[in-house]
Amino acid sequence: KKKPQLMHSSEYRNHRLFRGKNVAVIGSSFSALEIAADISRSAARVVNVSPSIPWVLPRWIPTVQPLQSASTDSATVTILPADLSLYQRKQPYPNIPETTSLTPESCRKRHQYLQSLVGHKQRQSPLGEPTNWEEPPFVAISDEYLDLVREGKVEVVHGRLVGVDEDGTLQISDIETTGSDKPQSH
């Protein structure tokens, strides 16, 4: 049997190199999710080993803005890029106090906001939602990843990669779901 190949995301160019292969993408960052989605176009199987669960946002986010008219109570929907939607200020600069650490309450509010942007799509996917809302949220942006996970084109395994056997079997510490550091084979 052929020995498994390892590649860092910085070396990734396109999905065609993985045609018909079994591929494991390690991580839950923006680049890991985008690479898993792209590789699923050609690979026979894509497994995403995810040590944490990010909120997966689309690149474009609809926002509802009330119209500033005294004669109507209507609103308009504006579709904004995710970065612009996430960085809107509630108060004008420089009246926003600098935040050097996040409290559990501020983390919960951030998770609630991100959950409102994602809706039911992530909750109903095998990826699931982050479980510890007292820690700062982790965000990735992808238009395709959640759909591919829900369709079974990208399989999600929660845990940390601890090794790869010579036959390509992944050794994963299942810390996300059970708290156990005992490696599992996948």
Side-chain angles (χ1 to χ4, degrees):
K1 198 169 185 179
K2 199 172 182 180
K3 194 173 182 172
Q5 295 177 305
L6 302 176
M7 174 187 289
H8 188 269
S9 62
S10 64
E11 301 170 54
Y12 179 76
R13 296 296 172 253
N14 69 61
H15 63 90
R16 290 185 280 289
L17 298 172
F18 302 93
R19 181 163 278 120
K21 296 183 179 181
N22 293 328
V23 179
V25 178
I26 313 304
S28 51
S29 67
F30 189 133
S31 59
L33 274 56
E34 282 295 274
I35 289 172
D38 191 49
I39 286 178
S40 73
R41 296 202 230 156
S42 296
R45 181 180 181 204
V46 178
V47 176
N48 180 203
V49 179
S50 180
S52 60
I53 302 173
W55 290 106
V56 183
L57 303 179
R59 292 182 193 281
W60 298 90
I61 298 173
T63 60
V64 178
Q65 312 258 332
L67 292 177
Q68 303 295 331
S69 171
S71 63
T72 182
D73 286 336
S74 63
T76 183
V77 175
T78 305
I79 299 176
L80 299 173
D83 57 348
L84 186 59
S85 182
L86 292 175
Y87 298 111
Q88 289 184 357
R89 296 181 183 269
K90 302 280 186 219
Q91 300 173 10
Y93 178 83
N95 295 335
I96 301 172
E98 183 177 327
T99 303
T100 55
S101 64
L102 297 173
T103 65
E105 179 59 28
S106 67
C107 289
R108 278 190 294 278
K109 286 180 180 178
R110 289 165 199 250
H111 279 282
Q112 287 171 340
Y113 175 68
L114 292 167
Q115 184 185 48
S116 75
L117 296 177
V118 174
H120 70 280
K121 191 174 188 177
Q122 183 163 339
R123 185 178 319 116
Q124 294 176 348
S125 80
L127 177 64
E129 294 181 335
T131 55
N132 186 353
W133 285 27
E134 292 189 355
E135 294 290 324
F138 184 50
V139 174
I141 298 173
S142 176
D143 289 328
E144 300 175 317
Y145 181 81
L146 283 177
D147 290 329
L148 293 166
V149 168
R150 289 174 61 187
E151 294 166 9
K153 294 179 180 173
V154 173
E155 301 169 44
V156 176
V157 175
H158 296 287
R160 292 194 186 278
L161 180 70
V162 293
V164 180
D165 296 342
E166 286 195 26
D167 67 354
T169 302
L170 305 176
Q171 295 299 319
I172 298 168
S173 175
D174 189 19
I175 60 165
E176 186 68 32
T177 55
T178 65
S180 167
D181 281 337
K182 183 180 176 205
Q184 308 287 321
S185 295
H186 292 272

